[in-house]
Amino acid sequence: VLSVPWGVGFLPDGTLVFTERTTATIKQLRNGTVSTVQTVSGVTPDGEGGLLGLAVSPKFAQDKTVFIYYTTSTDNRIASLNLGSSPKPIVTGIPRGTQIHNGGRLAFGPDGFLYAGTGDAGNSANAQNTSSLAGKILRMTPDGKPAPGNPFGTLVYSYGHRNAQGLTWTPDGKLYEAELGQDKWDELNLIEPGKNYGWPTCEGKCDRAGFVDPLVVWATSEASPSGIAYYKNNLYMAGLRGTRMWVIPVTNTGPAGPHAIYQGQFGRLRSPVAGPDGMLWFATSNRDGRGSPVATDDRLIRSDGT
């Protein structure tokens, strides 16, 4: 029984490592057994905050480094660490929401840089302010510096996001993002550097100059996305409130019509990841204060995506 697993990654030997938002622990699943690697100090798990995203360095075999995103009493921050050692903050001062919109997703892109999805921290004006780290997708080097080629010369890669919760790449290098809407529309966006994704002026598609419309939208009752993964030529987008997994085929002309699987089967879903074993892994999030946990919650689930 787990407590709100949030960030999921795999080490080169196939060990699964993950964070628990509310307990501030990093755990591992190895040979079918879950064990605690460490507790991260300084984490404040208020509301949607806590120990959130996790990304394994693509050079882990050499540098033994993982990256975490977490909420403190004053900010959200990104840190690097060797498992079992103290985190070394590389980005601090990401605005913190008192209860909502802390973002938290971390993922390494095919370019070798670390990307982070942040929330607007409950202040929608942050999303349009390119000087703020809130309501953005950030792109950085492993030491937390702006990645070369970033559009504003800062960490900011794209802006106008309400709460960026999922990041994944297709084999052609396109970056897709899943975003939590307010009360109308959740979004699947194709992310391009320097572009404005519209929040708070736009929720869903609004066809206004200067804003990029989402490729696909869902009613918030059917989705509330909490992670996205590319797996078997599809995008798999987990739904919290929607208690289902959305499968969006990827075609030569872009994403095609989505269909839902696992509807109501496991409750609130989070953090799909394509595993090195050829399977799709994801977590339940039924002990986050908004679900109806059963005795086996929370869980990590391994599936073939059907």
Side-chain angles (χ1 to χ4, degrees):
V1 175
L2 308 177
S3 179
V4 197
W6 212 100
V8 180
F10 288 88
L11 304 183
D13 66 0
T15 298
L16 185 152
V17 290
F18 63 98
T19 60
E20 285 188 343
R21 179 178 68 76
T22 52
T23 65
T25 55
I26 299 173
K27 295 186 175 181
Q28 66 179 17
L29 173 63
R30 177 181 287 170
N31 298 325
T33 300
V34 172
S35 59
T36 298
V37 176
Q38 68 188 95
T39 300
V40 179
S41 62
V43 175
T44 304
D46 293 342
E48 295 173 357
L51 182 55
L52 302 173
L54 178 146
V56 177
S57 167
K59 299 179 180 177
F60 184 88
Q62 292 79 41
D63 61 27
K64 301 291 189 272
T65 301
V66 299
F67 295 81
I68 55 174
Y69 184 118
Y70 58 100
T71 312
T72 74
S73 60
T74 57
D75 67 355
N76 287 295
R77 53 185 55 189
I78 301 167
S80 62
L81 57 84
N82 293 331
L83 291 173
S85 68
S86 298
K88 174 188 173 187
I90 60 170
V91 176
T92 59
I94 301 170
R96 172 192 188 278
T98 53
Q99 290 292 320
I100 58 173
H101 302 181
N102 286 296
R105 190 63 58 195
L106 292 179
F108 273 93
D111 55 9
F113 294 116
L114 179 63
Y115 291 70
T118 72
D120 67 10
N123 178 2
S124 60
N126 284 334
Q128 290 295 316
N129 177 4
T130 55
S131 297
S132 171
L133 296 179
K136 307 295 187 295
I137 293 174
L138 311 178
R139 177 175 176 261
M140 68 199 74
T141 64
D143 59 359
K145 306 300 183 189
N150 278 5
F152 306 105
T154 65
L155 291 170
V156 174
Y157 190 69
S158 63
Y159 66 109
H161 299 289
R162 182 174 179 269
N163 197 12
Q165 283 286 305
L167 302 170
T168 195
W169 288 261
T170 47
D172 57 4
K174 291 178 180 175
L175 169 57
Y176 291 92
E177 176 250 3
E179 182 157 338
L180 276 163
Q182 180 166 266
D183 50 23
K184 294 189 180 103
W185 301 112
D186 295 321
E187 301 178 355
L188 174 69
N189 290 300
L190 175 63
I191 301 301
E192 297 182 70
K195 296 294 180 68
N196 183 346
Y197 288 81
W199 177 254
T201 302
C202 298
E203 180 185 359
K205 299 181 180 183
C206 68
D207 192 26
R208 290 185 56 159
F211 297 141
V212 179
D213 277 347
L215 300 176
V216 186
V217 298
W218 292 263
T220 53
S221 61
E222 296 181 339
S224 296
S226 53
I228 193 168
Y230 177 79
Y231 175 72
K232 291 185 177 178
N233 299 316
N234 296 292
L235 299 171
Y236 281 75
M237 188 182 85
L240 291 168
R241 187 177 166 199
T243 65
R244 68 198 78 176
M245 186 80 69
W246 285 100
V247 185
I248 308 117
V250 177
T251 72
N252 291 334
T253 56
H259 67 276
I261 59 175
Y262 309 139
Q263 187 166 344
Q265 186 173 346
F266 302 111
R268 295 163 62 82
L269 305 184
R270 192 186 296 278
S271 302
V273 176
D277 57 356
M279 302 295 280
L280 181 74
W281 292 75
F282 56 94
T284 69
S285 194
N286 293 317
R287 294 189 180 274
D288 62 4
R290 297 174 180 174
S292 300
V294 297
T296 51
D297 281 322
D298 275 320
R299 297 171 276 173
L300 292 168
I301 295 167
R302 178 178 181 263
S303 102
D304 62 0
T306 61

